[in-house]
């Protein structure tokens, strides 16, 4: 796979209470997806990485992952604030069963 890809491994959605500021005490919805992606290929005299990394990514809404299955390879598209706005399947899967 030549393009940047992720492996979808889970998700979480719900609400949390805002602790600070003018909206303190209000409930704020959240949507997070969990993915595995290849580690950076950047290397220098004082940095090297290989393998994969696990990431928790903020999403615009749970609709982002509604068509994905755990273990599915996908491409992610981000908004200007770095939240996942769209996830599209690449059609390949891995098995995460023990």
């Amino acid at each position: 796979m030549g393009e940047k890809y992720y492996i979808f491994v889970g998700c979480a959605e719900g609400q949390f209470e805002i602790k600070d500021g003018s909206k303190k005490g209000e409930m704020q919805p959240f949507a997070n997806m969990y993915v595995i992606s290849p580690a950076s290929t950047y290397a220098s005299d004082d940095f090297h990485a290989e393998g994969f990394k696990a990431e928790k990514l903020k999403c615009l809404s749970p609709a982002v992952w509604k068509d994905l299955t755990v273990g599915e390879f996908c491409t992610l598209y981000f908004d200007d604030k770095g939240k996942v706005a769209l996830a599209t399947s690449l059609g390949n899967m891995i098995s995460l069963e023990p």
Side-chain angles (χ1 to χ4, degrees):
M1 292 184 189
E3 63 186 288
K4 173 80 176 184
Y5 69 90
Y6 299 83
I7 303 169
F8 175 65
V9 294
C11 55
E13 65 179 289
Q15 295 187 29
F16 65 93
E17 184 177 349
I18 298 173
K19 302 287 185 190
D20 302 319
S22 64
K23 294 186 176 186
K24 183 177 180 178
E26 290 183 26
M27 298 303 285
Q28 174 75 37
F30 73 88
N32 296 325
M33 70 186 304
Y34 305 101
V35 298
I36 297 171
S37 63
S40 171
T41 57
Y42 171 79
S44 69
D45 290 341
D46 58 353
F47 179 83
H48 170 79
E50 61 182 271
F52 292 86
K53 62 183 176 178
E55 301 177 73
K56 175 177 117 176
L57 302 173
K58 293 181 179 181
C59 300
L60 290 179
S61 76
V64 168
W65 63 74
K66 71 177 176 65
D67 294 326
L68 296 179
T69 301
V70 170
E72 196 164 13
F73 286 74
C74 58
T75 301
L76 303 180
Y77 300 91
F78 298 86
D79 70 1
D80 59 343
K81 294 181 181 177
K83 288 187 176 185
V84 180
L86 176 67
T88 58
S89 172
L90 293 174
N92 297 325
M93 299 220 20
I94 62 167
S95 174
L96 297 176
E97 295 179 26

